[in-house]
Amino acid sequence: MGFLDQLTDMVGGEKFNQYKNILSWIETQGGIRGLINKFEQQGFGGIIQSWIGSGENLPVSMEQISSIFGTSNISALASKVGLNSEQTSSLIAEYLPKLVNTATPDGKIPEKLDLTSIGLKLLKDKFFGS
């Protein structure tokens, strides 16, 4: 049994698949650069820039997530992961700052960025420490 299989068993297959689906969805939003554009277009550029920079990460609310990505986009993702829109927005609001912060350790967006690997590392660190 491989590491990902063991991790899936530990966190429960459904939860792990939800997490993977959210990571894939973030990629479909244009990755980090797409996220920056979406946040800036909705007037929340300062929030995402705080995650990229070296200072404190500003929080993002469920309502802001819905505003940034649109309720229909969140609803579609919610259906895919088996949660309601509020739960899905809450998960995104909780994990997106950590994901972006981890993906941009030097305050810059790397040329080759694999968000799925970074997200899985965050999940692994949550259960096994860094």
Side-chain angles (χ1 to χ4, degrees):
M1 178 180 277
F3 171 73
L4 288 178
D5 293 329
Q6 291 173 347
L7 189 58
T8 300
D9 288 345
M10 285 181 70
V11 299
E14 184 178 336
K15 295 259 186 239
F16 184 75
N17 284 329
Q18 288 171 344
Y19 192 72
K20 280 182 16 182
N21 282 326
I22 289 172
L23 290 171
S24 295
W25 175 81
I26 291 169
E27 290 284 4
T28 68
Q29 302 303 304
I32 298 288
R33 286 178 179 82
L35 294 176
I36 292 168
N37 289 337
K38 287 180 184 295
F39 272 72
E40 287 176 350
Q41 288 170 358
Q42 295 299 318
F44 300 113
I47 292 174
I48 197 165
Q49 289 300 326
S50 76
W51 307 341
I52 295 169
S54 59
E56 184 177 338
N57 290 342
L58 296 175
V60 64
S61 70
M62 295 181 334
E63 294 79 15
Q64 289 168 322
I65 291 295
S66 291
S67 174
I68 292 162
F69 296 104
T71 53
S72 63
N73 199 354
I74 297 294
S75 293
L77 176 61
S79 294
K80 190 172 186 177
V81 298
L83 299 172
N84 66 38
S85 293
E86 255 185 33
Q87 292 167 316
T88 302
S89 292
S90 179
L91 280 174
I92 294 168
E94 180 181 352
Y95 289 107
L96 194 57
K98 295 172 189 172
L99 181 67
V100 172
N101 189 50
T102 302
T104 57
D106 300 321
K108 296 178 186 163
I109 303 166
E111 285 300 315
K112 293 187 178 189
L113 182 63
D114 182 359
L115 287 178
T116 301
S117 293
I118 292 166
L120 292 175
K121 180 190 178 312
L122 285 171
L123 189 62
K124 180 186 78 133
D125 290 349
K126 179 178 179 176
F127 288 98
F128 301 110
S130 29

